[in-house]
Amino acid sequence: MDPRERILSTAVRLFFAQGYAQTGINQLIDESGLARRTFYHHFESKEALGAAYLDFAAGQWLANLGAAFDGRRTARSAVTSLFEVLESFALETRFRGCGLLNMAAEFADAGSEMRARVQRYKDAQRKLLREKFRDLGAAPTYADQVHLLLEGAIAGASAHLDVWPLRTARTAALALLPEEESRR
Amino acid sequence: MDPRERILSTAVRLFFAQGYAQTGINQLIDESGLARRTFYHHFESKEALGAAYLDFAAGQWLANLGAAFDGRRTARSAVTSLFEVLESFALETRFRGCGLLNMAAEFADAGSEMRARVQRYKDAQRKLLREKFRDLGAAPTYADQVHLLLEGAIAGASAHLDVWPLRTARTAALALLPEEESRR
Protein backbone atom coordinates (compact mmCIF):
# COMPACT_ATOMS: atom_id res chain seq x y z
CA MET A 1 0.00 0.00 0.00
CA ASP A 2 1.24 3.50 -0.74
CA PRO A 3 1.35 5.97 2.18
CA ARG A 4 -1.97 7.63 1.30
CA GLU A 5 -3.75 4.27 1.23
CA ARG A 6 -2.14 3.26 4.52
CA ILE A 7 -3.42 6.41 6.20
CA LEU A 8 -6.85 6.04 4.71
CA SER A 9 -7.26 2.39 5.64
CA THR A 10 -6.19 3.23 9.21
CA ALA A 11 -8.72 6.07 9.28
CA VAL A 12 -11.48 3.84 7.94
CA ARG A 13 -10.82 1.32 10.68
CA LEU A 14 -10.45 3.80 13.56
CA PHE A 15 -13.15 6.34 12.69
CA PHE A 16 -15.67 3.57 12.13
CA ALA A 17 -14.75 1.57 15.23
CA GLN A 18 -14.13 4.40 17.73
CA GLY A 19 -15.86 7.42 16.26
CA TYR A 20 -14.32 10.60 14.88
CA ALA A 21 -13.88 12.64 18.08
CA GLN A 22 -12.39 9.69 19.98
CA THR A 23 -9.70 9.14 17.36
CA GLY A 24 -6.77 11.50 17.78
CA ILE A 25 -4.40 12.48 15.01
CA ASN A 26 -1.49 10.95 16.96
CA GLN A 27 -3.14 7.54 17.02
CA LEU A 28 -3.82 7.85 13.28
CA ILE A 29 -0.17 8.64 12.58
CA ASP A 30 1.13 5.92 14.95
CA GLU A 31 -1.07 3.18 13.53
CA SER A 32 -0.37 4.22 9.94
CA GLY A 33 3.31 3.61 10.74
CA LEU A 34 4.41 6.76 8.91
CA ALA A 35 6.32 9.88 9.79
CA ARG A 36 4.22 12.84 10.90
CA ARG A 37 5.52 14.82 7.94
CA THR A 38 4.44 12.10 5.49
CA PHE A 39 1.00 12.09 7.08
CA TYR A 40 0.55 15.85 6.70
CA HIS A 41 1.88 15.68 3.17
CA HIS A 42 -1.19 13.57 2.25
CA PHE A 43 -3.82 15.03 4.58
CA GLU A 44 -3.50 18.58 5.78
CA SER A 45 -5.80 18.04 8.77
CA LYS A 46 -7.98 15.55 10.61
CA GLU A 47 -10.98 17.17 8.91
CA ALA A 48 -9.51 16.46 5.48
CA LEU A 49 -9.00 12.84 6.48
CA GLY A 50 -12.54 12.69 7.88
CA ALA A 51 -13.89 13.85 4.53
CA ALA A 52 -11.73 11.29 2.67
CA TYR A 53 -13.01 8.60 5.04
CA LEU A 54 -16.61 9.49 4.17
CA ASP A 55 -15.79 9.42 0.44
CA PHE A 56 -14.14 6.02 0.75
CA ALA A 57 -16.77 4.43 3.00
CA ALA A 58 -19.64 5.74 0.88
CA GLY A 59 -18.01 4.57 -2.35
CA GLN A 60 -17.53 1.09 -0.98
CA TRP A 61 -21.02 0.91 0.45
CA LEU A 62 -22.69 2.10 -2.77
CA ALA A 63 -20.66 -0.48 -4.73
CA ASN A 64 -21.88 -3.22 -2.37
CA LEU A 65 -25.49 -2.12 -2.72
CA GLY A 66 -25.13 -1.94 -6.51
CA ALA A 67 -23.59 -5.42 -6.62
CA ALA A 68 -26.57 -6.78 -4.69
CA PHE A 69 -28.62 -6.25 -7.88
CA ASP A 70 -26.22 -8.22 -10.11
CA GLY A 71 -28.05 -11.02 -11.88
CA ARG A 72 -31.32 -10.26 -10.08
CA ARG A 73 -34.30 -10.27 -12.39
CA THR A 74 -37.10 -9.26 -10.04
CA ALA A 75 -37.51 -6.56 -7.43
CA ARG A 76 -38.35 -9.30 -4.94
CA SER A 77 -35.09 -11.08 -5.53
CA ALA A 78 -33.15 -7.79 -5.33
CA VAL A 79 -34.73 -6.94 -1.96
CA THR A 80 -33.69 -10.31 -0.56
CA SER A 81 -30.18 -9.74 -1.85
CA LEU A 82 -29.99 -6.20 -0.41
CA PHE A 83 -30.92 -7.45 3.04
CA GLU A 84 -28.30 -10.21 2.78
CA VAL A 85 -25.67 -7.54 2.18
CA LEU A 86 -27.00 -5.60 5.14
CA GLU A 87 -27.00 -8.61 7.45
CA SER A 88 -23.40 -9.53 6.57
CA PHE A 89 -22.36 -5.95 7.21
CA ALA A 90 -24.20 -5.72 10.55
CA LEU A 91 -22.71 -8.98 11.80
CA GLU A 92 -19.17 -8.20 10.61
CA THR A 93 -19.26 -4.79 12.27
CA ARG A 94 -20.95 -6.04 15.45
CA PHE A 95 -23.98 -3.78 14.99
CA ARG A 96 -21.96 -0.58 14.82
CA GLY A 97 -24.65 1.02 12.63
CA CYS A 98 -24.15 3.21 9.60
CA GLY A 99 -20.68 4.80 9.46
CA LEU A 100 -22.03 7.83 7.59
CA LEU A 101 -24.83 8.55 10.07
CA ASN A 102 -22.52 7.89 13.01
CA MET A 103 -20.23 10.57 11.59
CA ALA A 104 -23.16 12.93 11.00
CA ALA A 105 -24.19 12.46 14.64
CA GLU A 106 -20.84 13.94 15.68
CA PHE A 107 -21.40 17.04 13.55
CA ALA A 108 -24.44 18.61 15.09
CA ASP A 109 -24.66 21.67 12.87
CA ALA A 110 -26.99 20.88 9.96
CA GLY A 111 -24.97 23.32 7.85
CA SER A 112 -21.59 21.64 8.44
CA GLU A 113 -19.50 20.43 5.50
CA MET A 114 -19.37 16.91 6.98
CA ARG A 115 -23.16 16.64 7.15
CA ALA A 116 -23.46 18.02 3.62
CA ARG A 117 -21.18 15.17 2.51
CA VAL A 118 -23.27 12.57 4.32
CA GLN A 119 -26.39 14.02 2.73
CA ARG A 120 -24.76 13.78 -0.72
CA TYR A 121 -24.05 10.08 -0.22
CA LYS A 122 -27.47 9.28 1.17
CA ASP A 123 -28.92 11.07 -1.87
CA ALA A 124 -26.63 8.92 -4.04
CA GLN A 125 -27.93 5.77 -2.31
CA ARG A 126 -31.50 6.83 -2.95
CA LYS A 127 -30.70 7.54 -6.62
CA LEU A 128 -28.93 4.20 -7.05
CA LEU A 129 -31.88 2.30 -5.61
CA ARG A 130 -34.33 4.23 -7.78
CA GLU A 131 -32.34 3.39 -10.94
CA LYS A 132 -31.79 -0.26 -10.08
CA PHE A 133 -35.42 -0.81 -9.09
CA ARG A 134 -36.63 1.02 -12.18
CA ASP A 135 -34.70 -1.48 -14.29
CA LEU A 136 -36.65 -4.21 -12.51
CA GLY A 137 -39.97 -2.47 -13.12
CA ALA A 138 -40.51 -1.04 -9.61
CA ALA A 139 -41.64 2.54 -9.02
CA PRO A 140 -39.48 5.31 -7.46
CA THR A 141 -41.82 5.39 -4.46
CA TYR A 142 -41.11 1.74 -3.83
CA ALA A 143 -37.36 2.35 -4.13
CA ASP A 144 -37.62 5.16 -1.58
CA GLN A 145 -39.54 2.92 0.81
CA VAL A 146 -36.83 0.25 0.55
CA HIS A 147 -34.20 2.95 1.08
CA LEU A 148 -35.85 3.97 4.36
CA LEU A 149 -36.39 0.38 5.45
CA LEU A 150 -32.65 -0.22 4.93
CA GLU A 151 -31.92 2.85 7.08
CA GLY A 152 -34.39 1.72 9.73
CA ALA A 153 -32.97 -1.81 9.66
CA ILE A 154 -29.39 -0.75 10.19
CA ALA A 155 -30.35 1.80 12.87
CA GLY A 156 -32.57 -0.80 14.52
CA ALA A 157 -29.91 -3.52 14.47
CA SER A 158 -27.51 -1.05 16.07
CA ALA A 159 -30.08 0.02 18.69
CA HIS A 160 -31.24 -3.48 19.60
CA LEU A 161 -27.84 -5.18 19.04
CA ASP A 162 -29.67 -7.92 17.18
CA VAL A 163 -30.58 -9.12 13.70
CA TRP A 164 -34.37 -9.10 14.12
CA PRO A 165 -34.71 -5.51 12.82
CA LEU A 166 -33.04 -6.58 9.56
CA ARG A 167 -35.50 -9.43 9.10
CA THR A 168 -38.55 -7.42 10.08
CA ALA A 169 -37.58 -4.64 7.66
CA ARG A 170 -37.05 -7.20 4.89
CA THR A 171 -40.50 -8.67 5.53
CA ALA A 172 -41.97 -5.16 5.28
CA ALA A 173 -40.06 -4.42 2.06
CA LEU A 174 -41.36 -7.61 0.47
CA ALA A 175 -44.92 -6.96 1.67
CA LEU A 176 -44.82 -3.51 0.07
CA LEU A 177 -44.19 -4.95 -3.41
CA PRO A 178 -47.12 -4.50 -5.74
CA GLU A 179 -49.26 -7.64 -6.09
CA GLU A 180 -48.25 -8.55 -9.63
CA GLU A 181 -44.57 -8.32 -8.69
CA SER A 182 -44.90 -10.34 -5.53
CA ARG A 183 -46.70 -13.14 -7.43
CA ARG A 184 -43.87 -13.66 -9.92
CA MET B 1 -35.95 24.71 39.02
CA ASP B 2 -33.91 22.96 41.68
CA PRO B 3 -30.16 22.52 41.03
CA ARG B 4 -30.47 18.95 39.78
CA GLU B 5 -33.13 19.95 37.26
CA ARG B 6 -31.03 22.90 36.12
CA ILE B 7 -28.06 20.66 35.44
CA LEU B 8 -30.19 18.08 33.70
CA SER B 9 -31.97 20.56 31.45
CA THR B 10 -28.63 22.08 30.49
CA ALA B 11 -27.30 18.60 29.71
CA VAL B 12 -30.37 17.74 27.63
CA ARG B 13 -29.87 20.87 25.57
CA LEU B 14 -26.10 20.59 25.11
CA PHE B 15 -25.70 16.83 24.65
CA PHE B 16 -28.49 16.79 22.09
CA ALA B 17 -27.34 19.87 20.19
CA GLN B 18 -23.55 19.38 20.29
CA GLY B 19 -23.03 15.72 21.04
CA TYR B 20 -21.60 14.12 24.15
CA ALA B 21 -17.85 14.28 23.40
CA GLN B 22 -18.07 17.90 22.24
CA THR B 23 -19.70 19.01 25.50
CA GLY B 24 -17.19 19.56 28.26
CA ILE B 25 -18.00 19.42 31.96
CA ASN B 26 -16.91 23.08 32.34
CA GLN B 27 -19.49 24.23 29.82
CA LEU B 28 -22.13 22.15 31.59
CA ILE B 29 -21.26 23.76 34.93
CA ASP B 30 -21.04 27.29 33.45
CA GLU B 31 -24.36 27.11 31.65
CA SER B 32 -26.10 25.51 34.63
CA GLY B 33 -25.08 28.62 36.57
CA LEU B 34 -24.08 26.61 39.63
CA ALA B 35 -20.94 26.14 41.69
CA ARG B 36 -18.71 23.25 40.68
CA ARG B 37 -19.26 21.69 44.08
CA THR B 38 -23.04 21.80 43.69
CA PHE B 39 -22.70 20.18 40.27
CA TYR B 40 -20.62 17.29 41.62
CA HIS B 41 -22.98 16.91 44.56
CA HIS B 42 -25.71 15.93 42.07
CA PHE B 43 -23.69 14.15 39.37
CA GLU B 44 -20.42 12.48 40.27
CA SER B 45 -19.16 12.47 36.68
CA LYS B 46 -19.97 13.39 33.08
CA GLU B 47 -20.83 9.72 32.53
CA ALA B 48 -23.43 9.83 35.31
CA LEU B 49 -24.96 12.92 33.71
CA GLY B 50 -24.87 11.23 30.28
CA ALA B 51 -26.84 8.31 31.70
CA ALA B 52 -29.34 10.68 33.35
CA TYR B 53 -29.69 12.50 30.02
CA LEU B 54 -30.58 9.24 28.27
CA ASP B 55 -33.12 8.40 30.99
CA PHE B 56 -34.75 11.81 30.71
CA ALA B 57 -34.77 11.99 26.89
CA ALA B 58 -36.11 8.45 26.56
CA GLY B 59 -38.83 9.05 29.15
CA GLN B 60 -40.01 12.18 27.38
CA TRP B 61 -39.91 10.53 23.96
CA LEU B 62 -41.84 7.45 25.09
CA ALA B 63 -44.45 9.71 26.70
CA ASN B 64 -44.82 11.61 23.39
CA LEU B 65 -45.21 8.40 21.42
CA GLY B 66 -47.73 7.07 23.92
CA ALA B 67 -49.72 10.31 23.78
CA ALA B 68 -49.92 9.98 19.99
CA PHE B 69 -52.33 7.09 20.56
CA ASP B 70 -54.68 9.08 22.82
CA GLY B 71 -58.20 9.05 21.46
CA ARG B 72 -57.17 7.10 18.35
CA ARG B 73 -59.55 4.29 17.52
CA THR B 74 -57.84 2.69 14.54
CA ALA B 75 -54.29 1.67 13.76
CA ARG B 76 -54.47 3.86 10.65
CA SER B 77 -55.29 6.93 12.68
CA ALA B 78 -52.57 6.13 15.23
CA VAL B 79 -49.95 5.82 12.47
CA THR B 80 -50.89 9.23 11.13
CA SER B 81 -50.63 10.66 14.62
CA LEU B 82 -47.24 9.02 15.29
CA PHE B 83 -45.79 10.55 12.15
CA GLU B 84 -47.17 13.96 13.12
CA VAL B 85 -45.24 13.70 16.39
CA LEU B 86 -42.14 12.69 14.45
CA GLU B 87 -42.44 15.54 11.99
CA SER B 88 -42.85 18.16 14.71
CA PHE B 89 -39.81 16.74 16.47
CA ALA B 90 -37.67 16.67 13.30
CA LEU B 91 -38.56 20.25 12.41
CA GLU B 92 -38.09 21.59 15.95
CA THR B 93 -34.69 19.95 16.23
CA ARG B 94 -33.58 20.87 12.70
CA PHE B 95 -33.15 17.23 11.64
CA ARG B 96 -30.73 16.41 14.42
CA GLY B 97 -31.88 12.77 14.36
CA CYS B 98 -32.52 10.49 17.32
CA GLY B 99 -30.78 11.66 20.50
CA LEU B 100 -30.46 8.10 21.76
CA LEU B 101 -28.86 6.73 18.59
CA ASN B 102 -26.61 9.79 18.30
CA MET B 103 -25.37 9.00 21.80
CA ALA B 104 -24.93 5.31 20.92
CA ALA B 105 -22.84 6.34 17.90
CA GLU B 106 -20.36 7.96 20.27
CA PHE B 107 -20.00 4.74 22.28
CA ALA B 108 -18.54 2.32 19.80
CA ASP B 109 -18.23 -0.66 22.11
CA ALA B 110 -21.37 -2.77 21.79
CA GLY B 111 -20.85 -3.85 25.42
CA SER B 112 -20.73 -0.33 26.87
CA GLU B 113 -23.15 0.71 29.60
CA MET B 114 -24.35 3.65 27.48
CA ARG B 115 -25.28 1.44 24.55
CA ALA B 116 -27.01 -1.01 26.90
CA ARG B 117 -29.14 1.91 28.11
CA VAL B 118 -30.01 2.94 24.56
CA GLN B 119 -30.95 -0.65 23.78
CA ARG B 120 -33.19 -0.76 26.85
CA TYR B 121 -35.09 2.32 25.68
CA LYS B 122 -35.41 1.14 22.10
CA ASP B 123 -36.78 -2.14 23.48
CA ALA B 124 -39.22 -0.08 25.57
CA GLN B 125 -40.33 1.81 22.43
CA ARG B 126 -40.91 -1.47 20.63
CA LYS B 127 -42.91 -2.80 23.59
CA LEU B 128 -45.00 0.36 23.85
CA LEU B 129 -45.90 0.24 20.16
CA ARG B 130 -46.78 -3.46 20.38
CA GLU B 131 -49.13 -2.81 23.32
CA LYS B 132 -50.76 0.25 21.81
CA PHE B 133 -51.26 -1.35 18.41
CA ARG B 134 -52.57 -4.53 20.02
CA ASP B 135 -55.28 -2.44 21.70
CA LEU B 136 -56.22 -1.26 18.20
CA GLY B 137 -56.30 -4.81 16.81
CA ALA B 138 -52.96 -4.73 14.95
CA ALA B 139 -50.46 -7.59 15.17
CA PRO B 140 -47.03 -7.42 16.90
CA THR B 141 -45.35 -7.85 13.50
CA TYR B 142 -47.11 -4.75 12.27
CA ALA B 143 -46.07 -2.79 15.37
CA ASP B 144 -42.43 -3.84 14.79
CA GLN B 145 -42.63 -2.71 11.17
CA VAL B 146 -43.92 0.70 12.25
CA HIS B 147 -41.18 0.86 14.88
CA LEU B 148 -38.52 0.35 12.19
CA LEU B 149 -40.20 2.77 9.81
CA LEU B 150 -40.11 5.40 12.56
CA GLU B 151 -36.38 4.70 13.02
CA GLY B 152 -35.76 4.85 9.27
CA ALA B 153 -37.80 8.04 8.98
CA ILE B 154 -35.89 9.89 11.66
CA ALA B 155 -32.51 8.62 10.41
CA GLY B 156 -33.54 9.50 6.85
CA ALA B 157 -34.73 13.00 7.76
CA SER B 158 -31.41 13.57 9.52
CA ALA B 159 -29.42 12.19 6.56
CA HIS B 160 -31.32 14.07 3.86
CA LEU B 161 -32.05 17.18 5.97
CA ASP B 162 -35.60 17.08 4.69
CA VAL B 163 -39.10 15.94 5.58
CA TRP B 164 -39.66 13.61 2.62
CA PRO B 165 -38.34 10.56 4.51
CA LEU B 166 -41.01 11.09 7.18
CA ARG B 167 -43.76 11.18 4.59
CA THR B 168 -42.44 8.24 2.58
CA ALA B 169 -42.17 6.14 5.74
CA ARG B 170 -45.72 7.09 6.73
CA THR B 171 -47.02 6.04 3.31
CA ALA B 172 -45.24 2.71 3.74
CA ALA B 173 -46.64 2.23 7.27
CA LEU B 174 -50.17 2.87 6.02
CA ALA B 175 -49.70 0.57 3.01
CA LEU B 176 -48.58 -2.24 5.32
CA LEU B 177 -51.88 -2.18 7.24
CA PRO B 178 -53.97 -5.29 6.64
CA GLU B 179 -56.75 -4.74 4.12
CA GLU B 180 -59.67 -4.86 6.55
CA GLU B 181 -58.00 -2.26 8.76
CA SER B 182 -57.12 0.10 5.92
CA ARG B 183 -60.73 0.02 4.65
CA ARG B 184 -62.21 1.18 7.96
Side-chain angles (χ1 to χ4, degrees), chain A residues 17 95 108 115 123 147 158 160, chain B residues 17 95 105 108 115 123 147 158 160:
Chain A
F95 307 119
R115 287 198 62 184
D123 285 344
H147 172 58
S158 161
H160 295 281
Chain B
F95 307 118
R115 288 198 62 184
D123 285 344
H147 171 58
S158 161
H160 296 280

Side-chain angles (χ1 to χ4, degrees), chain A residues 17-18 20 22 35 60 64 66 81 84 111 118 137 149 154 159 169 183:
Chain A
Q18 305 177 349
Y20 179 80
Q22 298 297 326
Q60 206 170 44
N64 285 344
S81 177
E84 279 166 13
V118 170
L149 281 165
I154 203 83
R183 280 203 193 116

Side-chain angles (χ1 to χ4, degrees), chain A residues 61-103:
Chain A
W61 180 245
L62 291 172
N64 285 344
L65 289 186
F69 286 86
D70 289 351
R72 303 291 167 164
R73 304 174 115 201
T74 63
R76 163 166 294 268
S77 157
V79 166
T80 305
S81 177
L82 281 169
F83 278 94
E84 279 166 13
V85 167
L86 218 61
E87 190 159 325
S88 301
F89 174 76
L91 290 171
E92 271 166 30
T93 59
R94 296 189 63 227
F95 307 119
R96 179 77 180 96
C98 166
L100 302 179
L101 281 187
N102 288 349
M103 191 82 164

